[in-house]
Amino acid sequence: MMTAKNAFWHDKCVVVTGASSGIGKALAEHLVKQGAKVGLIARRQNVLEQIITTLAAPVDKVAWACADVTDPAATATAVQLLEKRLGPCEVMIANAGIYHKTDVMKFDAATQNAVIATNVQGVVNSVGAVLPGMIQRKQGHLVAVSSMAGMIGLPAAGTYSASKAALVTFFQSLRVDLHPLGVKATVVAPGYVDTPIITDEERETVKDLLTAEQAATRICTAIERNRAVDWFPWQAWLVCRLFSFAPSGLYRRLITHIPEMEETNTNRQ
Ligand SMILES: NC(=O)c1ccc[n+]([C@@H]2O[C@H](COP(=O)([O-])OP(=O)(O)OC[C@H]3O[C@@H](n4cnc5c(N)ncnc54)[C@H](OP(=O)(O)O)[C@@H]3O)[C@@H](O)[C@H]2O)c1
């Protein structure tokens, strides 16, 4: 098999959460091609098993473990299983995430809390599972997958935007606190990426839609360059940045012209 190996990733042990689909799956595929050892975490065992076979990597280079990242003990156990197979985790990419629309007329706290639990607590649990080891070894890199939606409060996406904004500041703090301990922290914030989380309408209408492979490559470059925060693509960054400077009345009038993010029927609890 032809591979494009990269010295940075060679034999590095990388754990990716949410690796059964979309960006996480593309990250696993990209990292295996770069020569990394990759541990995949998600809830669906059959899908992870299927992906491992398509990765066609040596058995000591890839492994999977099932966990719901909202469960701290299950996440820690999954990481331990992967570390037994692949060695100490050197890069944790906390990518697992879900989207549920925030419909103010049918506000359901349980559904909205599920977004926070997966997108924020899930990242906290993923960090918790690897951080003591990284601090002990005085090396490691924590990575969170936020979103462009974390820069501004998008209409009908209140908890999703809040969850992704939380990751930006969480990782900004971690980066400062962990610097003297030799551990790095990077947060990446993509715009729309063509994965099962977006709707067919978004797929057809969104300009600058990235493929999952493009997003994965960009995320890996941000890690290699030890970026603090990487918002991409720049066109979406620019629009959101301009929105974030607008006075609140203007913001409200302008933002309503942006179509609301809808839920796909593939959302899994
Ligand atoms: N696609 C976009 O436009 C876009 C843009 C910006 C940011 N993002 C972010 O990118 C990340 C990946 O999303 P995606 O677009 O690749 O969506 P996706 O294809 O739906 O993938 C989501 C992944 O997260 C896993 N997951 C969900 N809940 C989980 C839980 N409780 N425990 C463990 N794994 C869980 C899913 O696997 P299982 O169902 O098997 O558990 C799946 O592998 C998310 O954080 C998302 O917010 C996406």
Side-chain angles (χ1 to χ4, degrees):
M1 187 179 61
M2 283 287 288
T3 54
K5 305 240 189 240
N6 174 332
F8 178 90
W9 294 106
H10 181 70
D11 267 348
K12 209 162 248 172
C13 176
V14 187
V15 174
V16 182
T17 72
S20 62
S21 172
I23 297 170
K25 176 171 174 263
L27 277 166
E29 289 164 349
H30 181 79
L31 288 164
V32 163
K33 285 188 194 141
Q34 302 306 311
K37 294 187 283 184
V38 187
L40 294 80
I41 294 180
R43 293 166 299 180
R44 289 169 297 159
Q45 178 176 339
N46 58 336
V47 184
L48 288 176
E49 283 174 336
Q50 222 178 339
I51 291 170
I52 291 276
T53 58
T54 61
L55 288 174
V59 284
D60 57 341
K61 286 273 196 178
V62 288
W64 60 266
C66 278
D68 182 331
V69 292
T70 63
D71 178 341
T75 307
T77 303
V79 168
Q80 281 161 16
L81 282 171
L82 295 175
E83 288 189 322
K84 264 192 198 141
R85 290 276 310 276
L86 305 172
C89 173
E90 293 166 275
V91 183
M92 161 57 81
I93 309 182
N95 160 76
I98 57 170
Y99 173 74
H100 284 300
K101 189 168 179 166
T102 305
D103 184 339
V104 289
M105 298 305 285
K106 293 186 246 159
F107 193 89
D108 174 37
T111 308
Q112 298 304 311
N113 275 325
V115 175
I116 302 292
T118 306
N119 298 4
V120 183
Q121 292 170 6
V123 175
V124 173
N125 294 336
S126 306
V127 167
V130 296
L131 189 54
M134 287 183 175
I135 290 176
Q136 201 179 21
R137 295 187 296 276
K138 296 187 177 59
Q139 63 174 38
H141 202 144
L142 302 169
V143 183
V145 179
S146 174
S147 162
M148 203 61 77
M151 196 190 300
I152 51 175
L154 291 175
T159 49
Y160 185 75
S161 277
S163 71
K164 295 303 184 180
L167 297 185
V168 176
T169 47
F170 175 34
F171 267 59
Q172 201 171 23
S173 293
L174 282 182
R175 191 171 166 95
V176 174
D177 296 339
L178 293 172
H179 179 75
L181 302 171
V183 180
K184 298 167 184 155
T186 292
V187 59
V188 295
Y192 278 102
V193 182
D194 189 356
T195 73
I197 217 174
I198 70 167
T199 61
D200 287 340
E201 200 188 342
E202 286 161 345
R203 199 162 279 119
E204 279 160 25
T205 55
V206 169
K207 293 190 187 104
D208 312 316
L209 181 69
L210 298 172
T211 65
E213 293 72 26
Q214 285 171 323
T217 305
R218 174 76 184 230
I219 291 167
C220 289
T221 304
I223 299 168
E224 288 164 31
R225 295 185 182 164
N226 188 21
R227 296 281 306 270
V229 190
D230 189 21
W231 305 93
F232 63 92
W234 68 266
Q235 296 90 334
W237 170 83
L238 184 62
V239 171
C240 290
R241 204 81 188 118
L242 291 173
F243 270 112
S244 70
F245 285 127
S248 67
L250 180 63
Y251 178 77
R252 184 170 37 78
R253 283 198 296 280
L254 291 176
I255 202 78
T256 48
H257 295 292
I258 291 189
E260 290 177 2
M261 287 165 68
E262 298 295 336
E263 282 193 47
T264 63
N265 55 14
T266 60
N267 269 338
R268 300 166 288 262
Q269 289 296 318

